[in-house]
Amino acid sequence: MTRTVGSSGVRTERNIREAGLRLIYKHGYEATSMRQLASEVGIQQGSLYNYFRTKQDLLFTLAHDHMRDLLRKVDAALKQDKTARERLEVFVRFHIDYHMQRKHEVFISYSEIRSLSEENRQIIISLRRDYEERLVSILDQGRAEGVFDVADTKVAAFGILSMLSGISTWFNPRGRLSKEEVSSIFVRMVMGSVTWNEGEKVKAKLRQSNAAVASATAE
Amino acid sequence: MTRTVGSSGVRTERNIREAGLRLIYKHGYEATSMRQLASEVGIQQGSLYNYFRTKQDLLFTLAHDHMRDLLRKVDAALKQDKTARERLEVFVRFHIDYHMQRKHEVFISYSEIRSLSEENRQIIISLRRDYEERLVSILDQGRAEGVFDVADTKVAAFGILSMLSGISTWFNPRGRLSKEEVSSIFVRMVMGSVTWNEGEKVKAKLRQSNAAVASATAE
Amino acid sequence: MTRTVGSSGVRTERNIREAGLRLIYKHGYEATSMRQLASEVGIQQGSLYNYFRTKQDLLFTLAHDHMRDLLRKVDAALKQDKTARERLEVFVRFHIDYHMQRKHEVFISYSEIRSLSEENRQIIISLRRDYEERLVSILDQGRAEGVFDVADTKVAAFGILSMLSGISTWFNPRGRLSKEEVSSIFVRMVMGSVTWNEGEKVKAKLRQSNAAVASATAE
Amino acid sequence: MTRTVGSSGVRTERNIREAGLRLIYKHGYEATSMRQLASEVGIQQGSLYNYFRTKQDLLFTLAHDHMRDLLRKVDAALKQDKTARERLEVFVRFHIDYHMQRKHEVFISYSEIRSLSEENRQIIISLRRDYEERLVSILDQGRAEGVFDVADTKVAAFGILSMLSGISTWFNPRGRLSKEEVSSIFVRMVMGSVTWNEGEKVKAKLRQSNAAVASATAE
DNA sequence: AATGAATGAGTATTCATTCAT
DNA sequence: AATGAATGAATACTCATTCAT
């Protein structure tokens, strides 16, 4: 008698993970109760604890598995590429693609970091840093190649990641723009943001407007 | 006889607002309890309700007051400026400046939208849209002037705002870079992201890398 | 300058009493809050305590004033009457009349006895007993005159008072029957319930049905 | 091995119901707290919610189960009887008997109607009306048979029910009168109240006393 | 005579978690 | 692997009352 691939327990665990992702994405970790989760899965509260030791454990598992998967895949995507510009475009397209496909995991891993225990938080933050490093090293490479003009590659990487990560909050697959069109738009913006331009002249001229800003925000 | 700053009630309300901002920023709305808040302010739980009818009311008030202030100030900052490039730089510097100064309010108004009641959420989202419109119209102006090269000004505005808003999550005023340096870096990135570049040639060449991405993210 | 009859304080006290009667009648003593009461009167909570030392004090005052008034008036009504039958009809009509006019006070004094403090409860119960005594003595008189046939005047009085007091829970002044019609119906029922009838024969016959009842209620 | 009566859950639910009846009877619904109830049952507050979704749900369940039981039993008691007088006596004896046995349920279902939610109140009131209908139809039958002299059977039914329901507030099983003696007294009073009597002559004579009443209650 | 602000104990209900079956 | 019943602490919010002004 062969063991069926999705035994009852395996199936239940997957159901819990999926319901957990959905609920935490929608209401947040704190606002999601184990009661709600159990009812969504169709089991009793007590049964959840056959799969996850605590609610915190569930959150961490979801975030952790996601981060490891993200790293594995970004490395697979970047492996064969050559120039910094080529690799940057691949990164941008990969990031957008993945973040649209795994919207829930991505959102949770980012916005529920606050709800992780100190120890768990460090692990997730460290994995996130690893991911950011992939982009930083592309920018470094581009600077070495002389094709990117960035004052600080770490800061630039943060800026680019913020820009890209925002997409999944507003992108609608049935909306005006296709995933590919959106990706192309952002590839272009990202490229522009790190490419040599004639901004120097411009910058000089605009310095003067700073004074106005300073007074306005000072109230 | 010293001049007391506001009556006892006014002072208490301000204390509640400030403690509320701090706590909700740190732990999130759901994870912040009225007990905690009262103890932070140094009053009894019940006294909170002399100032805010519900916990939800407190959250909404904080978010709402912030959004109105943001709009008032961005309009004051942009008023006198002329060209689209000038106005864009003013906007970027204003946004960064304000978001660093009002870190708590900004973060709450954005990340706790989920915790607002349906009705309150609509109000805040609508104000946020108003703010986004300020940037969209700058981009429109730039396109009309022929100085900006953006396929979709709304999408570009979302991208820019995401990029800028991320700053306050990592910026440290006592860190390596000053607020002004960070602002200048982002002015330059934003300008680059919307300026005519020679990306067209580049884009053609990079199209081929998409196939690699597709297979990598497909698992 | 003459002193106005209803000075501000006097007026406020009357307003509190009236609002208190209405609210306690409608929601019950426990379910009526001082906040609600103050808001109904149009003053602040604290001001209530210029008129009533405690919430309990308000309830007791309303019940006590009512009971004293009831006794004073029933005595006035009964004073001049002669025969037991005459006096009984007067009593029935008075009771119905008064209970319709002072619906709120009557209801509160009866159903909120549970909410009175031990001491206050004794006072009200004792006044109520005084009132019941008025009816008991009419029945005693009737028995002495040989016109009433009641086994136990106290029990009969309880029965009659229950019957009459129920009226105000369903009587509608704009309904099918006028107050006078209702009163006449009840005068007749009450008279019938205490008058010699030929029930003796009947009673004997019906004794046998008791067995059926006993088995039915036993489950 | 002793036979346990019901599983733990069943026993706990019964305990909650019984304690609920006792407490609500004694202090009223509003004045009974879930804390008190839990402590009376000997469980934690939270455990109550494994059995009743809300405090309101408990109240409604107690009232509803009682009303259904009352109706079922009154129908069983009345089934076989014949004449209106016979059926009326059975009704009176049944009512008194049941109301003495189920004092708590009866009292709660009547006096806590105010505390029921609108929806629940409608249901209970409707069941109570069904019960009242049993008596009304007996009076209708008696009028058809020519043995009852009632102007309005609905009003008469209300009067009789009020009279009978009051008994349980003062009856003491260890008091001067036995349950059977009390029942017989009330059978006789009820019969008298609906039977042809010579009241007509009497009534005419007493009309004059109304004037006195009117002036007395007018203050 | 009234207010505004505060108190401290209380409310019903929900929480994550445990554990014998 | 799942259940049903329980726990003990926590939740947001309301209560009657006080008191300086």
Side-chain angles (χ1 to χ4, degrees):
Chain A
M1 218 161 60
T2 60
R3 211 138 141 41
T4 49
V5 172
S7 78
S8 168
V10 172
R11 239 181 296 122
T12 302
E13 177 171 358
R14 197 173 47 238
N15 290 342
I16 295 174
R17 279 168 178 265
E18 283 168 7
L21 281 172
R22 244 181 299 125
L23 290 173
I24 298 177
Y25 174 76
K26 191 164 173 196
H27 307 112
Y29 174 77
E30 288 285 349
T32 298
S33 74
M34 296 301 265
R35 193 177 303 205
Q36 224 178 330
L37 179 57
S39 134
E40 186 88 358
V41 175
I43 58 178
Q44 292 298 113
Q45 283 187 73
S47 303
L48 294 172
Y49 293 83
N50 289 328
Y51 299 92
F52 297 94
R53 278 175 28 260
T54 61
K55 190 186 174 190
Q56 169 74 209
D57 183 38
L58 169 61
L59 175 61
F60 176 67
T61 301
L62 294 176
H64 194 212
D65 287 4
H66 156 61
M67 288 307 300
R68 283 193 308 205
D69 194 45
L70 175 66
L71 278 169
R72 201 163 47 74
K73 286 193 175 141
V74 76
D75 286 340
L78 290 174
K79 217 177 315 190
Q80 69 270 36
D81 296 282
K82 304 290 175 38
T83 74
R85 293 187 73 90
E86 282 168 343
R87 297 184 77 219
L88 181 54
E89 175 159 358
V90 169
F91 182 90
V92 170
R93 291 193 188 273
F94 165 81
H95 185 98
I96 293 174
D97 208 57
Y98 187 96
H99 279 60
M100 281 176 179
Q101 268 176 54
R102 308 282 293 273
K103 196 172 162 167
H104 295 174
E105 287 93 328
V106 162
F107 182 80
I108 287 172
S109 301
Y110 188 78
S111 74
E112 294 297 356
I113 281 212
R114 236 175 5 185
S115 298
L116 287 167
S117 69
E118 188 50 36
E119 190 187 8
N120 289 340
R121 179 166 38 239
Q122 290 312 329
I123 295 170
I124 299 300
I125 286 180
S126 154
L127 288 171
R128 197 165 75 190
R129 205 163 290 139
D130 289 349
Y131 182 67
E132 290 161 359
E133 270 306 314
R134 304 300 192 268
L135 177 53
V136 171
S137 77
I138 291 174
L139 297 182
D140 283 337
Q141 178 190 347
R143 203 150 62 164
E145 292 177 7
V147 298
F148 291 164
D149 170 30
V150 287
D152 187 307
T153 52
K154 212 164 163 191
V155 166
F158 285 167
I160 292 168
L161 285 169
S162 286
M163 179 186 270
L164 300 179
S165 297
I167 298 171
S168 61
T169 64
W170 55 260
F171 178 72
N172 175 0
R174 276 172 302 285
R176 188 160 46 87
L177 299 167
S178 72
K179 186 175 76 177
E180 285 72 24
E181 286 170 321
V182 168
S183 289
S184 294
I185 287 174
F186 276 87
V187 165
R188 187 153 170 198
M189 287 184 76
V190 168
M191 286 298 169
S193 76
V194 296
T195 301
W196 283 103
N197 60 38
E198 297 163 78
E200 296 313 309
K201 317 167 209 164
V202 176
K203 271 173 68 182
K205 274 200 275 179
L206 296 187
R207 281 280 151 65
Q208 66 227 41
S209 62
N210 287 354
V213 170
S215 66
T217 60
E219 163 74 334
Chain B
M1 217 158 59
T2 61
R3 197 142 144 43
T4 51
V5 183
S7 77
S8 163
V10 172
R11 240 179 296 123
T12 303
E13 177 170 357
R14 198 175 46 238
N15 291 342
I16 294 174
R17 280 167 178 265
E18 283 167 7
L21 280 172
R22 246 179 298 127
L23 290 172
I24 298 177
Y25 174 78
K26 190 163 175 197
H27 307 111
Y29 174 77
E30 287 285 349
T32 298
S33 74
M34 296 303 261
R35 188 180 303 206
Q36 226 178 327
L37 178 57
S39 130
E40 186 87 359
V41 176
I43 57 177
Q44 292 295 113
Q45 281 189 71
S47 300
L48 294 173
Y49 293 84
N50 287 332
Y51 300 92
F52 298 93
R53 277 173 28 262
T54 60
K55 191 186 172 188
Q56 169 75 205
D57 185 36
L58 169 61
L59 174 61
F60 176 67
T61 301
L62 294 176
H64 195 211
D65 287 3
H66 154 60
M67 288 307 300
R68 282 192 309 205
D69 195 45
L70 175 65
L71 277 169
R72 201 164 46 74
K73 287 194 174 139
V74 75
D75 285 340
L78 290 174
K79 217 177 319 192
Q80 68 271 35
D81 297 281
K82 306 287 173 44
T83 74
R85 293 189 71 91
E86 283 168 342
R87 298 183 78 220
L88 181 55
E89 175 159 359
V90 168
F91 182 90
V92 171
R93 290 191 188 275
F94 164 81
H95 185 97
I96 293 173
D97 208 56
Y98 187 96
H99 280 58
M100 280 175 179
Q101 267 177 53
R102 309 281 294 272
K103 194 172 164 169
H104 295 174
E105 287 94 326
V106 162
F107 182 80
I108 287 173
S109 301
Y110 188 78
S111 73
E112 295 297 356
I113 281 213
R114 217 170 29 176
S115 298
L116 287 168
S117 70
E118 188 49 37
E119 191 188 7
N120 288 340
R121 180 167 36 240
Q122 291 310 328
I123 294 170
I124 299 301
I125 285 180
S126 155
L127 289 171
R128 197 165 74 189
R129 204 163 290 141
D130 289 348
Y131 183 66
E132 291 161 0
E133 270 307 312
R134 303 300 192 269
L135 177 53
V136 171
S137 78
I138 291 173
L139 298 182
D140 283 336
Q141 178 190 349
R143 205 151 60 164
E145 292 177 6
V147 299
F148 290 164
D149 171 30
V150 287
D152 187 306
T153 52
K154 213 165 161 190
V155 166
F158 284 169
I160 291 168
L161 286 168
S162 286
M163 179 187 270
L164 299 178
S165 297
I167 298 171
S168 61
T169 64
W170 54 261
F171 178 73
N172 176 358
R174 277 174 302 287
R176 190 158 44 86
L177 299 167
S178 73
K179 186 174 77 176
E180 285 73 24
E181 287 169 322
V182 169
S183 289
S184 294
I185 287 174
F186 276 87
V187 165
R188 187 152 169 200
M189 288 184 77
V190 168
M191 286 297 170
S193 75
V194 296
T195 302
W196 284 102
N197 59 41
E198 298 162 77
E200 297 312 309
K201 316 166 210 164
V202 175
K203 271 172 70 180
K205 276 199 275 179
L206 296 188
R207 281 279 150 67
Q208 68 225 43
S209 63
N210 286 356
V213 169
S215 66
T217 60
E219 166 74 343
Chain C
M1 218 161 57
T2 59
R3 210 140 140 41
T4 49
V5 173
S7 79
S8 169
V10 172
R11 239 182 294 122
T12 302
E13 177 170 359
R14 197 173 48 238
N15 290 341
I16 295 173
R17 279 167 178 267
E18 283 168 7
L21 281 171
R22 245 181 297 127
L23 290 173
I24 298 176
Y25 174 76
K26 191 164 174 196
H27 307 114
Y29 174 77
E30 288 285 349
T32 298
S33 73
M34 296 302 263
R35 193 177 304 205
Q36 225 178 328
L37 178 57
S39 135
E40 186 88 358
V41 175
I43 58 177
Q44 292 299 113
Q45 284 187 74
S47 303
L48 294 172
Y49 293 83
N50 289 327
Y51 299 92
F52 297 93
R53 277 174 28 261
T54 61
K55 190 185 173 190
Q56 169 74 209
D57 183 38
L58 169 61
L59 174 61
F60 176 67
T61 301
L62 294 176
H64 194 212
D65 287 5
H66 156 61
M67 288 308 300
R68 283 192 309 206
D69 194 47
L70 174 66
L71 278 169
R72 201 164 47 75
K73 286 192 174 140
V74 77
D75 285 341
L78 291 173
K79 216 175 320 191
Q80 69 269 39
D81 296 281
K82 305 288 174 40
T83 74
R85 292 189 71 90
E86 283 167 341
R87 297 184 78 221
L88 181 54
E89 174 159 357
V90 168
F91 182 89
V92 170
R93 291 193 187 272
F94 165 81
H95 185 96
I96 293 174
D97 207 56
Y98 187 94
H99 280 59
M100 281 176 179
Q101 266 177 56
R102 308 282 294 271
K103 195 173 165 169
H104 295 175
E105 287 92 329
V106 162
F107 182 80
I108 287 172
S109 302
Y110 187 79
S111 74
E112 295 297 355
I113 281 213
R114 232 173 10 182
S115 299
L116 287 168
S117 69
E118 189 48 38
E119 190 188 9
N120 288 339
R121 179 168 37 240
Q122 291 311 329
I123 296 169
I124 299 300
I125 286 179
S126 154
L127 288 171
R128 195 164 76 188
R129 204 163 291 139
D130 289 349
Y131 182 68
E132 290 160 0
E133 270 307 313
R134 304 300 192 268
L135 177 54
V136 171
S137 78
I138 291 173
L139 298 182
D140 283 337
Q141 177 189 349
R143 202 150 62 166
E145 292 176 7
V147 297
F148 291 164
D149 170 29
V150 286
D152 187 306
T153 51
K154 211 164 162 191
V155 165
F158 284 168
I160 291 169
L161 284 169
S162 286
M163 179 186 270
L164 297 180
S165 297
I167 297 172
S168 61
T169 64
W170 55 262
F171 178 73
N172 175 0
R174 277 172 301 286
R176 190 158 46 87
L177 299 167
S178 72
K179 187 174 74 175
E180 285 72 25
E181 287 170 322
V182 168
S183 289
S184 294
I185 288 173
F186 277 87
V187 165
R188 186 152 170 201
M189 287 183 77
V190 168
M191 287 298 172
S193 75
V194 296
T195 301
W196 283 104
N197 59 40
E198 300 164 78
E200 298 312 308
K201 319 167 204 163
V202 176
K203 270 173 68 181
K205 275 201 275 179
L206 295 188
R207 280 282 150 66
Q208 66 225 43
S209 62
N210 286 353
V213 169
S215 66
T217 59
E219 164 77 339
Chain D
M1 218 158 57
T2 60
R3 199 140 140 44
T4 50
V5 183
S7 77
S8 161
V10 171
R11 239 179 297 123
T12 303
E13 177 170 357
R14 197 173 48 239
N15 291 342
I16 295 173
R17 278 167 179 268
E18 284 168 7
L21 280 172
R22 245 180 296 126
L23 291 173
I24 297 177
Y25 175 77
K26 191 163 173 197
H27 307 112
Y29 174 78
E30 289 285 348
T32 298
S33 75
M34 296 302 262
R35 189 181 302 207
Q36 227 178 325
L37 178 57
S39 129
E40 187 87 359
V41 176
I43 57 177
Q44 292 295 115
Q45 281 190 72
S47 300
L48 294 172
Y49 293 83
N50 287 330
Y51 299 92
F52 297 93
R53 278 174 25 264
T54 59
K55 189 184 173 190
Q56 168 75 205
D57 184 37
L58 169 61
L59 174 61
F60 176 67
T61 300
L62 294 176
H64 194 212
D65 287 3
H66 155 59
M67 288 308 300
R68 283 192 309 205
D69 195 46
L70 175 65
L71 276 168
R72 201 163 48 74
K73 286 193 174 140
V74 76
D75 285 339
L78 290 174
K79 217 176 321 193
Q80 69 270 34
D81 297 280
K82 306 288 174 40
T83 74
R85 292 189 71 89
E86 283 168 341
R87 297 183 78 222
L88 181 55
E89 174 158 358
V90 168
F91 182 90
V92 170
R93 292 193 187 272
F94 164 81
H95 185 97
I96 293 174
D97 206 56
Y98 187 96
H99 280 58
M100 281 176 178
Q101 267 176 53
R102 307 281 294 270
K103 193 173 164 171
H104 294 175
E105 286 94 325
V106 163
F107 182 79
I108 287 173
S109 301
Y110 188 79
S111 73
E112 295 297 356
I113 281 213
R114 217 171 28 177
S115 299
L116 287 168
S117 70
E118 188 49 37
E119 192 189 6
N120 288 340
R121 178 165 40 240
Q122 291 311 329
I123 295 169
I124 299 301
I125 286 179
S126 156
L127 288 170
R128 196 165 75 190
R129 203 163 292 139
D130 289 349
Y131 182 67
E132 290 161 0
E133 271 306 312
R134 304 298 192 271
L135 177 53
V136 171
S137 79
I138 292 173
L139 298 182
D140 283 337
Q141 177 190 349
R143 203 150 62 164
E145 293 177 5
V147 298
F148 291 164
D149 170 30
V150 287
D152 187 307
T153 52
K154 214 166 160 189
V155 165
F158 284 168
I160 292 168
L161 285 169
S162 286
M163 179 187 271
L164 299 180
S165 298
I167 298 172
S168 60
T169 65
W170 55 260
F171 178 73
N172 176 359
R174 277 172 303 284
R176 188 160 46 86
L177 299 167
S178 73
K179 185 173 76 175
E180 285 72 23
E181 286 169 323
V182 168
S183 289
S184 294
I185 288 174
F186 276 88
V187 165
R188 187 153 170 199
M189 287 184 77
V190 167
M191 288 296 173
S193 75
V194 296
T195 301
W196 285 102
N197 59 39
E198 300 163 76
E200 296 313 309
K201 318 168 207 164
V202 175
K203 269 173 69 181
K205 276 199 275 181
L206 296 187
R207 279 282 150 66
Q208 67 226 41
S209 63
N210 285 355
V213 169
S215 66
T217 60
E219 166 75 340

